[in-house]
Amino acid sequence: MNTRITKAIFFIGSILIAFSSNAQTRYWDMVITTKGDTIHCNIDPEPLFGKTKYIGPGMKKGVVIDTTTVKEYFTTGFTRHSKAVYVPVLKHTVFLGVAEQGQINLYYLNISYPNGTSSRELFVTKGNDQLFHVKEPGLYDNYGSKTDKYKADFAAILKDNPDAYAMYMAQKKFNDEQIKALIHFYNTGKELRGGGG
């Protein structure tokens, strides 16, 4: 009787090992190449060392994500979206985070400084228009002529949506959350839940 139990346990164990060795790897992220291919993969969006890489089915080692081969990618289970965008002020293409997408697109670039602080620049495109700054580090709410120019540019892109434009003109602040909430409202007609952050 002991032999039957031992054989049964051995048989069940070998089946479990066979199933686990054939189990597929779960891919939580996705890359869209400049050729238009979609690759489900895994990405470490903020590696401690080296450049951001992806690894997908059948790949032995990670491939560097760069703007010449990757158009956009989604990380952290599709909760973070980054897109290759030409930034005129930088004079080259970089990956920007996508905060809102629609008739008006809102992008961000996080900048870390050696002293441990960080800041966020915001960029906007409408339709096929060129990307332009809407907020940059050091510009807080209502200070300076550069901020006035950004406010005027932002008002101009909202003007063809009377409700979004009126909402913008009624607000006194010009911060990241307000900008995101207004673009979301412009694109969807609905207010952004959770304060827009």
Side-chain angles (χ1 to χ4, degrees):
M1 183 140 163
N2 266 346
T3 2
R4 275 195 214 178
I5 293 173
T6 306
K7 284 182 183 179
I9 291 172
F10 180 75
F11 178 72
I12 291 170
S14 57
I15 288 175
L16 290 174
I17 290 170
F19 278 130
S20 67
S21 66
N22 287 332
Q24 292 184 349
T25 302
R26 266 210 157 144
Y27 295 106
W28 298 103
D29 308 315
M30 184 171 70
V31 164
I32 300 173
T33 68
T34 53
K35 295 177 183 175
D37 297 329
T38 299
I39 302 170
H40 291 276
C41 57
N42 288 322
I43 300 170
D44 179 0
E46 297 171 5
L48 291 176
F49 302 101
K51 297 182 178 188
T52 302
K53 297 179 181 181
Y54 70 92
I55 189 160
M59 300 172 96
K60 297 289 183 214
K61 64 180 198 170
V63 175
V64 172
I65 294 177
D66 68 42
T67 59
T68 60
T69 58
V70 174
K71 181 168 59 171
E72 57 190 307
Y73 63 94
F74 300 83
T75 59
T76 319
F78 291 86
T79 59
R80 291 174 61 184
H81 178 191
S82 297
K83 191 171 187 176
V85 179
Y86 180 78
V87 180
V89 69
L90 299 175
K91 295 186 172 77
H92 66 278
T93 302
V94 297
F95 284 106
L96 298 178
V98 178
E100 285 291 326
Q101 211 167 6
Q103 291 176 296
I104 298 175
N105 297 310
L106 175 63
Y107 302 102
Y108 62 89
L109 178 63
N110 291 328
I111 301 168
S112 297
Y113 301 102
N115 67 359
T117 62
S118 64
S119 62
R120 177 177 278 198
E121 292 189 44
L122 298 180
F123 300 90
V124 172
T125 60
K126 183 176 182 182
N128 292 327
D129 291 347
Q130 184 174 335
L131 183 84
F132 68 90
H133 258 114
V134 74
K135 190 93 191 265
E136 65 181 278
L139 299 179
Y140 300 100
D141 287 335
N142 298 310
Y143 302 111
S145 61
K146 214 171 193 185
T147 299
D148 292 340
K149 180 191 177 329
Y150 290 151
K151 286 179 175 182
D153 289 346
F154 191 60
I157 68 165
L158 297 174
K159 215 167 201 165
D160 64 339
N161 182 321
D163 293 334
Y165 181 74
M167 187 183 288
Y168 173 64
M169 296 310 287
Q171 296 178 351
K172 302 287 185 226
K173 294 181 181 177
F174 190 65
N175 60 37
D176 296 11
E177 292 79 19
Q178 179 206 20
I179 292 165
K180 181 176 178 173
L182 284 163
I183 291 173
H184 181 82
F185 182 77
Y186 182 100
N187 288 338
T188 65
K190 297 175 184 169
E191 290 191 28
L192 187 61
R193 299 282 178 228

